[in-house]
Amino acid sequence: MSPGILNVDGAPRHVAIIMDGNGRWATQRGQPRSVGHRQGVEALRRTTRAASDMGISVLTLYSFSSENWSRPQAEVRFLLELLRRFIRTDVAELHQSGVRIMIIGDRAGLDPTLRTMFEEAEVLTRENTGLKLVIAFNYGSRQEITRAVQALARKVAEGKISPEDITPSVIGNHLDTGGLPEPDLLIRTGGEQRLSNYLLWQCAYTEFVFMPDYWPEFDGERLRQAIETYRLRDRRFGGLKAQTA
Ligand code: IPE
Ligand code: IPE
Ligand code: MG
């Protein structure tokens, strides 16, 4: 990996990924979907290492959506166990490489053991200044926005703020991603071209790169390709190109 990609002009600070295609990858090989999920964790490890080496500031990974509970119970259980095992085995190494772990999504109603694991990983790595690895678990953007709106409504009802105090930046800060920069680049593997309830508010001006590769095939090289595609984009944010302005 080329270290210090951040020094190169136009590199993304925040990369968000929809890690999709585990099941199809396995099915294509005549294997159960669980094999794809297990290989998906390997791809997650490779990608995190690559992002950290490249000097990317934030990597946000969609690991389980609010809607994924509707899958067969056995698959849900397998995914939860994979996540538990990942935290148990990988957090120490991530901590050593200076990675700060953050988890976004709804924690209410989650298994208390899992919640404790999340909290411990976050507390352990809180002071780290390297890559921020944000894991979206039981995450749904509409649910996240709803929670933020409820929190703000509560503050208004308690007289702590007035409705006029609610600005886009106040709303942004009440989301689970409050304090993080918005994603510059969103990558979705697996060929689908949709957001599936991921970071709807945060992606207002994000560049999207859709890749046909299934997630278990993803690696540092593909991440680099997506970043190259991103760097050729002309981000205007509603304005005009810098040279014609
Ligand atoms: C992504 O792969 C992993 C999760 C959603 C947890 P999928 O399991 O969605 O794989 P496909 O899209 O069915 O191939
Ligand atoms: C999005 O993938 C969620 C994750 C990658 C965790 P899905 O496979 O759940 O999305 P849909 O169902 O194809 O929209
Ligand atoms: Mg999928």
Side-chain angles (χ1 to χ4, degrees):
M1 287 327 326
S2 62
I5 195 168
L6 262 192
N7 301 328
V8 182
D9 227 15
R13 264 205 307 169
H14 182 172
V15 177
I17 307 185
I18 301 177
M19 310 184 288
D20 196 25
N22 292 351
R24 280 166 287 162
W25 181 87
T27 305
Q28 212 176 46
R29 283 162 180 74
Q31 306 269 4
R33 291 174 58 86
S34 57
V35 172
H37 293 315
R38 203 174 282 134
Q39 287 308 307
V41 176
E42 291 304 321
L44 185 156
R45 288 195 177 103
R46 288 194 294 270
T47 307
T48 303
R49 230 173 279 133
S52 172
D53 291 349
M54 283 180 197
I56 287 170
S57 171
V58 188
L59 178 68
T60 302
L61 302 176
Y62 207 0
S63 77
F64 192 88
S65 77
S66 311
E67 288 74 28
N68 285 147
W69 298 104
S70 66
R71 293 189 180 197
Q73 225 185 61
E75 178 162 345
V76 169
R77 222 180 295 129
F78 188 82
L79 287 167
L80 292 187
E81 187 46 38
L82 266 188
L83 178 69
R84 265 188 224 110
R85 219 177 294 160
F86 172 76
I87 296 181
R88 225 176 281 131
T89 57
D90 285 51
V91 165
E93 192 195 320
L94 289 167
H95 179 44
Q96 273 191 346
S97 14
V99 173
R100 178 171 176 188
I101 299 167
M102 301 167 85
I103 289 105
I104 58 169
D106 192 358
R107 296 191 200 189
L110 286 186
D111 171 48
T113 332
L114 192 58
R115 279 167 68 160
T116 307
M117 289 176 93
F118 286 171
E119 280 153 26
E120 284 174 358
E122 287 178 330
V123 170
L124 175 73
T125 62
R126 185 173 282 163
E127 307 297 329
N128 290 347
T129 54
L131 173 75
K132 287 193 185 76
L133 175 63
V134 184
I135 298 174
F137 179 82
N138 191 25
Y139 178 86
S141 196
R142 286 183 172 171
Q143 291 83 342
E144 173 194 39
I145 293 168
T146 305
R147 274 186 278 113
V149 170
Q150 287 171 347
L152 285 165
R154 234 173 275 126
K155 287 186 185 175
V156 172
E158 290 163 1
K160 290 182 179 152
I161 59 169
S162 70
E164 292 70 31
D165 294 327
I166 302 173
T167 61
S169 90
V170 167
I171 294 175
N173 281 325
H174 279 75
L175 299 175
D176 297 351
T177 51
L180 294 171
E182 288 175 4
D184 300 294
L185 165 63
L186 177 124
I187 302 168
R188 181 169 188 149
T189 60
E192 312 293 358
Q193 303 195 359
R194 55 176 171 252
L195 281 176
S196 302
N197 207 10
Y198 196 42
L199 304 172
L200 303 181
W201 174 280
Q202 295 88 338
C203 284
Y205 273 103
T206 300
E207 296 293 330
F208 294 173
V209 172
F210 296 104
M211 302 179 94
D213 317 65
Y214 293 136
W215 176 250
E217 298 161 336
F218 203 81
D219 56 12
E221 193 43 46
R222 286 172 174 88
L223 176 62
R224 198 207 304 267
Q225 277 169 24
I227 290 174
E228 275 314 304
T229 304
Y230 163 85
R231 291 183 62 227
L232 296 172
R233 301 272 176 90
D234 179 23
R235 301 184 79 187
R236 291 189 290 278
F237 300 99
L240 299 177
K241 278 169 88 121
Q243 54 267 47
T244 56

